[in-house]
Each structure stands twice: as structure tokens, then as C-alpha cells.
Amino acid sequence: MTIRSRLITQAALLQIASLLLLSYGVVSVQRALGEREVLRAETLLKHAVARTATDALIQKDQVQLLSYLNFLKAQYPALAYAHVVWHKGTKTTTQNLGAAPSVGRIDERRVRVSDPSMPDSIVEISFGVDRDVLREPILERQRMMLKVLLWTGSLTALLGLSLAVFLSRSLTTSLVALSRVAEQISEGHLGVRLEWESDDEIGALVRVFNGMSTRLADLDIVKKNFVSSVTHELRSPLGAIESFLPLIREKISAGEKQGLNLSLDYLDRIAANVQRLNRFITDLLDVAKIEQGRMECVLRPLALGPLAAEAARFFEAKALAQGVVVENMIDGVPPVLADADRVRQVLINLLANALKFTPSGGKVRLEAEQVRDAAGRWVEVTVADTGRGMSDADRGRLFQAFTQGTNVNEGVAGHKGTGLGLYIVKSIVAQHGGRVEMKSEPGNGSRFTFSLRVAG
Amino acid sequence: MATKVLVIDDEEDYRIILQEVLRGAGFEVRLAEDGEEGLALLRESPCDVVLVDWMMPKMDGERFCREMRAVPRLKDIPVVMITVKQTVDEELEALHFGVDDFVVKPCKAPELLARVRAVLRRAENRRA
């Protein structure tokens, strides 16, 4: 059953129920009032008959009594008949007006009047009151009232029903539109939105829905970035290795001196590509661990100085070849509580980035200082370069996985990279309870600072 | 006279590999690191066929194609695109901006040579 038909049925049932209840109430009130009216009319009739009897008794006029009663019978159709008995001493006279009908509900009433000056003179009148006649106007009123009720009831029912139809339509239009959009999304058109402005619950639902759709589209972009990044990062070095091998084979089988030297160069290139693949796969596994919340860091007191020196030495040859100076100024800071392997990874990722974006003649600096805040004592480690820096837009998405700055390759030596390094850095530092910050302006170099808790 | 090939790829490994394979097959090879450098080389002296990578910094393969096709003297040079992309949609897109054929990385030397020769033959037929 659709929402629309359910709403309409419910509205109709409600209308019918309220109409029935209303009619029942009106009819019972009418009935109670009617009974009282019948009683009053009966009393009135009795008074009139008694009054007539008294007058006739005082006037001693039997004919007048009969003519009065006749007049009363014309005035009150409920007066079915009257039977008059005159007592005067022992003498009794009777008079009849009409006869008791055999059908109908006739109640007999009796009036007895005596003359105070002549106690033996008494008039007794028995008369029949036809209750049906008494009730007739009341029943008539009841019928009219019901008729009016029926008319107005049907009219309001009609009005209510059309209102219900209108309401259900306005309600279901948005739902139908929403389900159509949901269908589009399930068909793969991620990011479609429903333009629907209202302050009610439907409006709130549409806003949530649109947010969800946008988020899905964002996730889809992340997925596409992921697939394209993985494809490129796996295929490119693999392809190079695959292509170098037959070239080396050719040169070795030719056996010429120059060819053999070239083969050695190609072998170095293969080794570099294997390294690149290895790094990428390690990064991928780290990202998988991070995403599953299984990146474990064993925190022990750690001296940063030797670790930083080791990381700087790792890049010595590369920096020299590139014409960049790497300065390690980390000295005299207290030991921190950290996982040595993970901190080494952070330093290597940050140094690799700094070197990548620093042209010949530039400088990469490693610094550390102790700071104190409400949460305790920290060591802040900074990797600063004199490279080209970056724009605000790039800064915003810097720490997302599989995302890189725009024009990331411009004027940069080496391959494109995967967009995983800083994501891993951020996750490792977060796992240590610290923070990563970055300051940069286009053309003015970049400074990456991360904090680690002081041990003890 | 040897057939002249321009190879445009941002990765040094691939420049070396393509140069080696093409030279081995008797082509005269020139190398460029990105689209801009490739266009500059072509303006100096045109070549017979261009091999261009799709994803490159500065000027990617797509923009290179469009810009080359806009130069009257260069617009008829056949272009083979080398790419790791390989969905049908992407191939269609590339055909729209004027690529003559595709080679998907990593490519085998015989396939690469066959495709380069095929586009050269088609260009020859067009001129004839």
C-alpha cells in the first residue's frame, strides 16, 4: 500500500468515525430534550383540562365544559378523547368526547376537581394523551437535523479528503523525487543532488541525502585517484624493468665492451625501479594498516639526535647530486616517547619531500625545540626547505591519501610520487598523540613541524 | 634517409628504453621531457612520427596533441600515445584529440615498432 493511499484511507476513516460520533451525540441530546418536552406538553394539557373543569364546575355548565374540551382537542391534537363524570350528591352524569382508539400509544390521565363551596359537587375527567402525536414534532426536528448533519458531514468529508490527497501528494512528490535520485546514485551517477528547499523534516532528509551523495562522489574520486595512482606506480617501474631486461640480454649476447657498460647502467636502473616498487608497496601496506586502525607504535624513550643524523645521512648522496645542503641542527632536546622505526619513517618522508621540491643551491634544515602546553612537555621537530612552497589550496589537501598538489611535478626531478607520504606522516604522528603543522607560501619554502611527547 | 621519431616522456627510464628500441630498428630518435620541449623541437625541425606519454607535467600528451594539430606545418604528423591508461572511454577521448594509435605501458618492442610502422604507412598513403 503506498503512503498516498494509506493517508487517504486513514483520513476517510477518521471522517466517517467523527461523523458517526457527532450524529450519535446530536441524536441522544435531541432525545433527552424531546422527552422533557413531551412531559411539559402533557402537564400543560393536564393543567388546561383541570382549569376547564374548574371553570365549568363553578359555572355549573356541562355544555360549556364539553365545548371547551372540544376546543382543547382542536388545539392539542394529542388529546385523543375525554370522558367526563359529574357527581352531584348521589347523582352522576357522564359525557364522552371521542372514543379511545384501539391503536397507538395512549396514556390515560385523570383530573378530579371539586367545588370548595359545594363539596359534594365533583367533576372527574379521564382523558387520553396520544404520545405519538406529542412526539411527532420532536421526531420531525430530529430527522431534519440528521439530514443537515449528513449534508454538512459529506461536505466536510469531501473537503477533508481533497485536503488529504493534496497533503499526501505534497509529501510523496518529494519522496518520489528522492527515490529517483537514489536510483540514479545506485546506477553510478554519484554526486547528483535533489534541489528541494523546505524547513520541515523532508527538507532535513534531502539535505542529509545531498550531503551523502557529495560524500560518495568524493570517495569515488579518492577511489579513482587510488586506482590510477596504484596502476601508475606499479606499472611504470614494472614496465621499465620488463623493457630493460631484453635490452640487457641483447647487449650481453652481442658482447661488445660499450654494450656491456650500458648493461651495467641498465641494471642500476632496474635496481632503482625495484626499490621504488618496494617503497610503494610498503607505503600501501602502511596505509592499509592505518585504515584498519592496526598501525601499532611501541612507545619507548628515544633520543632524537642520532635518529635525525641517521636520516640526514640517508639522503647525503642524493642531496649532494642535487646540489642541496642538508643541515641537521637537532641537538640537546630531551628524549621523547616514540617508536624509533616510525619516527625514522616520518623523518625520511619529510626529508624526501623537502629534497624533491628544493632546487640546486637550496637548503634543507632539521631543527627541534622543547615546548610546553596544557597537555605537557613536547619536542617540536621541524623540517624546513627553501623550495618553491605551495598555495593554500594545495595545503588544504596535502595530508589526504593519494592526493598531491597541483603541478606537483613542475621543475621536480624524479618520478611523480604516490601522494601517500604525508598521509602516513600524519597518521604516525597522530598515533603518538602529537600534531603535524605546515607553514608555507608560494616561492618561500615550506616548514613541516611535528610534535612528540617528552619521555618521563 | 632514416625516419625521424620524436619521443616525449617525463620518465628518464622510458626515454632510454624507447630510444634504444627505436634506434635498434633503424629510426633516428630525438628526446623531449614534456610537451613544451617536444613542440619546441618540432618547430625547429619536424619529424615523421611522434611518440608521446599521456601523463606528464607542464604540458601533458593531450595538450601537446591539440597544440601540435593547430600548427599548419605540423598538423599532419602521426602521433602514437604511450600510456598506462587503458579504458575504452579513455581511448575514445584520445582519438578525439587527434591521436592515431595507442601503446599501453609496459609495451613489448615488436608491438611498439609494428604500431609505429603502421601509422607511418597510413600517413604515407594519405600523402600519396
Side-chain angles (χ1 to χ4, degrees):
Chain A
M1 206 172 180
T2 61
I3 289 182
R4 186 180 291 189
S5 51
R6 217 154 56 205
L7 254 171
I8 292 171
T9 316
Q10 275 172 11
L13 286 176
L14 212 71
Q15 296 269 358
I16 291 169
S18 56
L19 199 62
L20 283 176
L21 270 173
L22 194 68
S23 312
Y24 174 75
V26 167
V27 167
S28 19
V29 167
Q30 275 292 319
R31 183 165 293 154
L33 285 176
E35 286 307 319
R36 260 159 64 185
E37 251 171 75
V38 167
L39 264 177
R40 225 177 45 227
E42 229 184 283
T43 318
L44 219 69
L45 190 59
K46 201 170 166 184
H47 283 178
V49 170
R51 172 83 199 184
T52 312
T54 314
D55 280 1
L57 192 67
I58 290 165
Q59 309 243 337
K60 300 184 183 62
D61 191 342
Q62 292 187 17
V63 179
Q64 190 200 2
L65 178 60
L66 214 62
S67 101
Y68 266 151
L69 285 174
N70 244 331
F71 172 72
L72 275 179
K73 193 167 182 292
Q75 287 296 304
Y76 296 94
L79 184 63
Y81 65 90
H83 181 69
V84 187
V85 182
W86 286 80
H87 300 279
K88 193 162 185 180
T90 51
K91 200 174 141 207
T92 305
T93 345
T94 58
Q95 286 174 307
N96 276 324
L97 182 77
S102 54
V103 291
R105 296 199 297 147
I106 307 290
D107 287 348
E108 194 172 87
R109 298 277 181 266
R110 195 178 290 257
V111 175
R112 189 188 159 94
V113 188
S114 55
D115 188 346
S117 57
M118 282 184 284
D120 60 339
S121 189
I122 293 165
V123 175
E124 248 179 32
I125 303 176
S126 319
F127 60 94
V129 181
D130 189 333
R131 296 187 75 91
D132 286 346
V133 175
L134 267 185
R135 271 210 186 91
E136 188 50 41
I138 294 153
L139 287 175
E140 175 67 26
R141 209 163 59 213
Q142 232 174 57
R143 276 195 294 273
M144 260 178 75
M145 212 125 187
L146 273 177
K147 211 196 264 175
V148 170
L149 252 173
L150 206 75
W151 273 109
T152 50
S154 326
L155 237 121
T156 35
L158 214 71
L159 218 76
L161 266 184
S162 32
L163 213 73
V165 169
F166 172 76
L167 202 87
S168 66
R169 181 165 298 167
S170 75
L171 204 73
T172 48
T173 312
S174 56
L175 288 179
V176 167
L178 209 58
S179 75
R180 230 173 262 139
V181 171
E183 218 165 90
Q184 280 183 20
I185 289 176
S186 72
E187 280 163 7
H189 304 286
L190 304 179
V192 284
R193 297 170 63 83
L194 180 61
E195 296 309 328
W196 185 282
E197 284 294 330
S198 63
D199 291 331
D200 55 7
E201 291 87 340
I202 300 271
L205 178 66
V206 168
R207 279 192 294 280
V208 170
F209 192 88
N210 282 342
M212 185 191 73
S213 178
T214 314
R215 173 102 181 99
L216 272 177
D218 288 348
L219 281 177
D220 196 50
I221 290 170
V222 170
K223 188 198 78 186
K224 281 193 179 128
N225 280 347
F226 171 78
V227 170
S228 122
S229 178
V230 169
T231 314
H232 188 265
E233 270 316 291
L234 289 179
R235 250 174 210 279
S236 211
L238 265 179
I241 293 166
E242 205 178 329
S243 306
F244 275 127
L245 287 173
L247 295 179
I248 292 172
R249 163 185 272 276
E250 245 173 61
K251 299 218 179 307
I252 289 175
S253 44
E256 286 167 24
K257 177 96 174 78
Q258 198 192 358
L260 288 176
N261 281 340
L262 216 52
S263 295
L264 287 178
D265 178 39
Y266 291 172
L267 279 175
D268 287 343
R269 287 179 180 279
I270 287 179
N273 276 302
V274 169
Q275 232 177 44
R276 178 177 160 191
L277 272 175
N278 201 352
R279 261 201 315 275
F280 179 58
I281 289 166
T282 312
D283 281 356
L284 265 189
L285 291 177
D286 279 345
V287 168
K289 272 189 208 158
I290 290 165
E291 305 269 297
Q292 291 167 9
R294 291 197 295 111
M295 161 79 85
E296 279 163 18
C297 296
V298 184
L299 306 186
R300 289 204 182 90
L302 172 71
L304 279 173
L307 197 75
E310 184 193 328
R313 260 201 311 282
F314 183 78
F315 286 102
E316 221 166 43
K318 187 173 160 59
L320 196 69
Q322 218 176 297
V324 175
V325 178
V326 178
E327 276 181 349
N328 175 22
M329 314 290 284
I330 296 183
D331 193 22
V333 284
V336 292
L337 209 55
D339 185 316
D341 288 336
R342 292 302 181 195
V343 174
R344 185 184 299 115
Q345 200 176 354
V346 167
L347 284 172
I348 283 177
N349 281 357
L350 290 178
L351 281 171
N353 273 353
L355 271 175
K356 186 170 167 185
F357 295 105
T358 305
S360 176
K363 197 186 271 183
V364 173
R365 242 173 117 98
L366 269 164
E367 303 159 350
E369 62 171 336
Q370 198 190 152
V371 295
R372 191 187 286 271
D373 68 5
R377 292 193 299 154
W378 303 85
V379 170
E380 282 187 351
V381 183
T382 299
V383 178
D385 65 54
T386 58
R388 65 174 201 222
M390 69 186 78
S391 66
D392 284 347
D394 282 347
R395 255 209 314 269
R397 55 171 172 247
L398 205 57
F399 292 99
Q400 292 169 20
F402 301 108
T403 310
Q404 290 183 301
T406 45
N407 304 323
V408 66
N409 275 13
E410 223 158 276
V412 165
H415 62 86
K416 183 171 170 280
T418 55
L420 292 179
L422 286 177
Y423 175 71
I424 293 173
V425 163
K426 190 186 85 175
S427 305
I428 290 176
V429 173
Q431 188 79 6
H432 280 76
R435 287 184 306 155
V436 186
E437 273 170 10
M438 104 63 93
K439 288 193 187 112
S440 177
E441 268 172 46
N444 270 338
S446 306
R447 286 173 67 87
F448 285 84
T449 302
F450 64 94
S451 53
L452 294 170
R453 197 179 284 279
V454 170
Chain B
M1 202 174 77
T3 311
K4 280 180 268 180
V5 188
L6 173 64
V7 172
I8 312 174
D9 198 315
D10 58 321
E11 291 196 55
E12 197 189 1
D13 284 344
Y14 280 95
R15 287 200 298 275
I16 289 172
I17 292 160
L18 290 170
Q19 183 184 34
E20 183 90 9
V21 168
L22 290 163
R23 268 196 191 142
F27 291 99
E28 187 187 318
V29 184
R30 275 187 299 169
L31 301 174
E33 284 184 32
D34 58 62
E36 264 176 33
E37 195 187 337
L39 267 184
L41 282 177
L42 280 182
R43 284 207 173 92
E44 259 169 41
S45 74
C47 64
D48 299 301
V49 59
V50 177
L51 264 74
V52 62
D53 187 22
W54 191 330
M55 295 188 346
M56 284 185 299
K58 273 192 201 170
M59 189 193 283
D60 66 4
E62 177 180 346
R63 237 184 80 207
F64 167 82
C65 273
R66 291 187 197 282
E67 297 205 3
M68 191 193 86
R69 297 287 184 222
V71 181
R73 201 159 57 96
L74 308 174
K75 70 176 175 24
D76 291 324
I77 300 177
V79 173
V80 177
M81 187 158 256
I82 319 159
T83 174
V84 289
K85 295 187 177 189
Q86 53 176 342
T87 68
V88 176
D89 282 350
E90 284 159 352
E91 287 185 20
L92 280 176
E93 188 193 335
L95 289 176
H96 276 300
F97 57 71
V99 160
D100 295 271
D101 204 355
F102 267 100
V103 179
V104 176
K105 269 185 194 175
C107 47
K108 296 263 188 295
E111 187 197 341
L112 174 80
L113 292 172
R115 288 190 186 273
V116 169
R117 287 191 181 115
V119 296
L120 278 168
R121 204 163 46 242
R122 283 207 294 276
E124 193 75 27
N125 289 342
R126 268 206 303 276
R127 272 198 294 275

